[in-house]
Amino acid sequence: MTRYIFIVGGVMSGIGKGVSCASIGKILQSSGHKVSAVKIDPYLNSDAGTMNPVEHGEVFVTEDGLECDQDIGNYERFFDQNMYRYNYMTTGQVYHSVIIKERSMYYNGKCVEVVPHITEEIIKRIELAGAKTKADFLLIEIGGTVGEYQNMVFLEAARIMKLRHSSQVMFIMVSYLPIPKMIGEMKTKPTQHAVRALNSVGIQPNIIIGRSSAPIDNPRKRKIAIFCNIGEEDVISAPDSDNIYEIPLNFEKDKMSQRIFFHFGMQTKKGDLKEWKKFSNKYRRLTRPVKIAVIGKYFSTGKFVLSDSYISVIEAIKHSSWSLGFKPEIHWLDSEEYETNPEKLKELKKFNGIIVPGGFGARGVEGKIKVIKYARMNKVPYLGLCYGMQLAVIEFARNESKLKNAHTTEVDPKNPHPVINILPEQEEKLKNMNFGGSMRLGTYPCELKKDTISFKAYGEKNILERHRHRYEMNNDFREKLEQAGLVIAGTNPQKNLVEIIELKNHPFFVAVQFHPELKSRPLRPHPLFREFIKAAAKRK
Ligand code: GLN
């Protein structure tokens, strides 16, 4: 029997609902239960692939090739478990399937309505996820905050599920408790209003997680309890933490799992978070820094700098650095600055390693190429991810193979030296404006060449990695590039596509067509990131 825990947001977004959801799952998993999660994105987009990363954060990719919300990445990292298509749902997907059914007379002449047809489709999808995963606990994170039009229909579906299976469903609200400077006191009123809003759609939370800059004291717990109609012990304090992996431990300080078992009428089982604790506590003791520069362009919205667009890259750096005993310092560098001010390149000297992560389009590309050239010539450890590999090939072709102005057809379709070219099956898709979910997505095999850095890192010949791209290295130029010293360290055995390039006579220059960052887990750092950090730490 699957028990369903709905996680809803109150007061405002961006306060860590996804990490809360992942943390609750982690705790329940640690007590020997099977857990899984569903993220509901209340957007009309069918998936996250068409959303701008600056607005929506990183596009995560599952094994089975779904482009989804970054929270799925949090679930994978916290549960150490792969997620699949059924772990993600958008408003767009739900409406789309109802409309398709309507066109095929599935509803037998009935008027098709938001309630019950959309709500039933939502419930069906949630129950399917429960059945597919055979989870004891399925956490369902409803995106957005209560009171928005956008997620109303999902709350309605959740209410109906509670009505049908009362003992199998519970609600947790993640709310925000501001401490305004001019008052100097933690205020509970916004949370009270959020709970009223939730009550008005027929839902009463069982537990409230109070996010704030400080822990919740007892008088405030009492206040929340009485005004929000819950027990004091059901108010869980969630103060800001600079290490997300500590959050499950923080929740347990307020006995989160005990409260969940209580609400489901289950016996309390003590969880074993020893390994997790060891891993997340380590971070406080680390002093030896490793300075990594990440060169990208999806950072700024107005005056604010966001790193959410590269969240998996950040986490992968952390996993490896922590496991090797280093304190990572990640520096965000805007690729466009190297185009207008080449002098800036000199500043790269101070970093131990450089990463060029995935990206699209022409903006910032020449800046990234300059940085890659710097890393190659000055022997700075370099890890290229997807676009970071394609641009490394371009840089090498231009400067080592004398293919002047070589480029990718993504930026320069008429280039005489298209060392990076569109995949044949992608050409048709672009012509037909078929942009949604149509890239080379998900897991593909890769065969490694012996005596390469990659082969040593993985310790095996055949690996599987996740992809998200339309372009690839052009095999017509392979020989020429190899003659100039480029090492083809990994290829896809079915299509003979180049998946990894490396350089000799360099402490670490590895660039991959796939996204290793998506598969790095806290207690199982990704081998390429691990070797990259190792090499970086050695650099003076
Ligand atoms: N823009 C490149 C492509 O489509 C790289 C994609 C990426 O970095 N994810 O092939």
Side-chain angles (χ1 to χ4, degrees):
M1 182 180 75
T2 300
R3 292 177 173 84
Y4 301 94
I5 305 177
F6 286 94
I7 317 280
V8 300
V11 181
M12 65 185 203
S13 66
I15 53 169
K17 206 159 13 103
V19 172
S20 297
C21 183
S23 300
I24 296 168
K26 182 80 224 165
I27 298 167
L28 295 169
Q29 185 190 49
S30 79
S31 56
H33 291 284
K34 197 160 182 345
V35 300
S36 191
V38 170
K39 165 79 191 224
I40 295 179
D41 246 347
Y43 298 115
L44 284 168
N45 306 60
S46 295
D47 55 43
T50 53
M51 300 183 202
N52 182 333
V54 176
E55 252 183 69
H56 185 257
E58 169 191 88
V59 179
F60 193 79
V61 182
T62 57
E63 288 284 298
D64 57 351
L66 178 73
E67 297 171 292
C68 57
D69 184 80
Q70 60 180 34
D71 278 332
I72 300 288
N74 282 324
Y75 305 161
E76 288 205 349
R77 288 186 281 267
F78 275 68
F79 306 165
D80 194 4
Q81 199 171 290
N82 289 338
M83 299 280 132
Y84 297 90
R85 282 175 189 272
Y86 46 74
N87 294 103
Y88 182 63
M89 172 185 344
T90 66
T91 308
Q93 282 175 21
V94 173
Y95 273 77
H96 186 73
S97 48
V98 169
I99 291 167
I100 290 196
K101 281 187 198 161
E102 182 275 326
R103 292 287 81 186
S104 66
M105 282 305 278
Y106 176 89
Y107 298 105
N108 253 329
K110 280 242 181 280
C111 300
V112 180
E113 296 176 274
V114 173
V115 183
H117 300 105
I118 297 292
T119 44
E120 287 308 319
E121 176 67 28
I122 294 165
I123 293 170
K124 199 189 86 189
R125 283 168 179 252
I126 293 172
E127 289 178 344
L128 177 81
K132 286 258 190 205
T133 56
K134 300 193 179 68
D136 300 318
F137 293 99
L138 185 72
L139 295 122
I140 305 113
E141 180 192 345
I142 302 184
T145 33
V146 287
E148 289 170 13
Y149 269 118
Q150 305 214 57
N151 55 25
M152 278 302 203
V153 69
F154 295 105
L155 292 172
E156 178 64 1
R159 183 192 67 79
I160 295 169
M161 280 188 77
K162 173 77 183 168
L163 184 69
R164 285 186 192 153
H165 318 281
S166 176
S167 63
Q168 256 172 281
V169 176
M170 70 174 280
F171 292 95
I172 297 181
M173 174 184 263
V174 183
S175 194
Y176 181 65
L177 301 155
I179 308 178
K181 259 216 189 90
M182 62 288 190
I183 309 176
E185 184 198 334
M186 182 184 282
K187 303 304 281 180
T188 64
K189 192 74 83 204
T191 296
Q192 296 176 36
H193 282 298
V195 171
R196 297 259 154 84
L198 193 59
N199 288 160
S200 74
V201 297
I203 295 172
Q204 168 63 40
N206 301 97
I207 291 177
I208 294 175
I209 296 175
R211 284 280 300 110
S212 190
S213 52
I216 312 175
D217 60 1
N218 286 334
R220 247 102 344 213
K221 279 197 175 176
R222 239 167 277 146
K223 221 172 185 177
I224 296 170
I226 195 133
F227 287 110
C228 300
N229 206 15
I230 65 172
E232 246 172 78
E233 59 282 18
D234 286 320
V235 182
I236 308 283
S237 178
D240 286 351
S241 164
D242 45 12
N243 173 11
I244 54 167
Y245 299 110
E246 268 172 5
I247 292 171
L249 307 166
N250 288 350
F251 281 179
E252 277 307 69
K253 284 185 195 148
D254 268 1
K255 304 199 169 59
M256 169 77 90
S257 59
Q258 207 176 308
R259 296 314 300 158
I260 293 175
F261 293 134
F262 170 81
H263 283 289
F264 283 123
M266 298 165 77
Q267 240 174 10
T268 299
K269 248 204 219 163
K270 214 172 150 33
D272 176 10
L273 282 164
K274 244 185 275 129
E275 279 299 298
W276 189 264
K277 196 169 179 179
K278 215 163 84 197
F279 154 77
S280 57
N281 283 351
K282 204 168 178 184
Y283 142 95
R284 301 239 170 258
R285 296 196 307 270
L286 300 174
T287 50
R288 287 182 298 171
V290 54
K291 292 185 187 157
I292 305 298
V294 181
I295 323 292
K297 66 170 181 180
Y298 301 121
F299 297 141
S300 46
T301 72
K303 283 206 175 117
F304 300 94
V305 174
L306 293 176
S307 47
D308 259 16
S309 327
Y310 301 104
I311 180 118
S312 292
V313 177
I314 302 175
E315 297 310 313
I317 295 173
K318 281 193 211 164
H319 304 158
S320 286
S321 306
W322 295 4
S323 87
L324 293 165
F326 294 99
K327 184 180 172 167
E329 275 178 27
I330 303 173
H331 296 258
W332 303 104
L333 306 179
D334 185 344
S335 50
E336 282 170 296
E337 284 186 15
Y338 299 96
E339 293 171 7
T340 47
N341 183 8
E343 276 297 296
K344 261 194 98 62
L345 283 170
K346 287 191 196 133
E347 292 173 15
L348 292 170
K349 209 170 46 217
K350 60 178 187 243
F351 298 109
N352 298 94
I354 296 176
I355 292 181
V356 172
F360 294 86
R363 185 163 68 86
V365 151
E366 291 304 323
K368 289 181 189 174
I369 292 174
K370 284 200 171 82
V371 170
I372 295 168
K373 183 174 177 192
Y374 182 93
R376 182 174 61 80
M377 308 272 286
N378 294 281
K379 308 223 183 288
V380 187
Y382 174 75
L383 181 61
L385 308 170
C386 206
Y387 218 14
M389 169 197 139
Q390 298 176 355
L391 300 177
V393 171
I394 293 168
E395 190 280 317
F396 189 87
R398 286 183 188 177
N399 299 310
E400 292 295 308
S401 293
K402 302 196 183 68
L403 296 169
K404 225 177 131 216
N405 302 325
H407 222 317
T408 162
T409 54
E410 177 173 357
V411 176
D412 183 3
K414 299 225 164 66
N415 193 285
H417 310 302
V419 287
I420 304 293
N421 197 7
I422 190 143
L423 282 155
E425 68 272 18
Q426 289 291 333
E427 224 163 352
E428 198 59 23
K429 292 181 186 171
L430 292 194
K431 243 188 251 150
N432 299 328
M433 310 278 278
N434 170 12
F435 298 124
S438 63
M439 289 188 219
R440 181 168 183 245
L441 288 170
T443 293
Y444 288 95
C446 172
E447 222 175 82
L448 303 179
K449 192 188 277 168
K450 287 232 166 81
D451 295 326
T452 57
I453 303 172
S454 304
F455 184 84
K456 271 181 228 137
Y458 283 94
E460 57 190 328
K461 190 163 165 235
N462 295 299
I463 57 158
L464 293 165
E465 290 285 359
R466 295 188 202 168
H467 294 249
R468 180 173 187 250
H469 58 107
R470 293 189 202 279
Y471 298 80
E472 54 150 331
M473 189 175 132
N474 186 345
N475 278 335
D476 294 348
F477 292 90
R478 196 151 147 183
E479 215 184 295
K480 195 167 168 64
L481 294 169
E482 279 184 299
Q483 272 163 10
L486 193 75
V487 177
I488 308 294
T491 45
N492 171 277
Q494 280 109 27
K495 293 196 165 172
N496 194 24
L497 301 174
V498 174
E499 311 280 36
I500 308 179
I501 60 145
E502 292 181 7
L503 291 182
K504 284 204 182 109
N505 308 320
H506 190 288
F508 186 99
F509 194 105
V510 178
V512 296
Q513 183 55 79
F514 46 81
H515 291 274
E517 70 274 20
L518 302 179
K519 287 181 68 164
S520 181
R521 304 277 167 86
L523 303 178
R524 290 190 299 126
H526 192 284
L528 289 181
F529 275 87
R530 190 192 62 222
E531 293 310 306
F532 167 67
I533 296 291
K534 243 190 230 169
K538 274 194 203 132
R539 184 181 144 80
K540 293 267 149 48

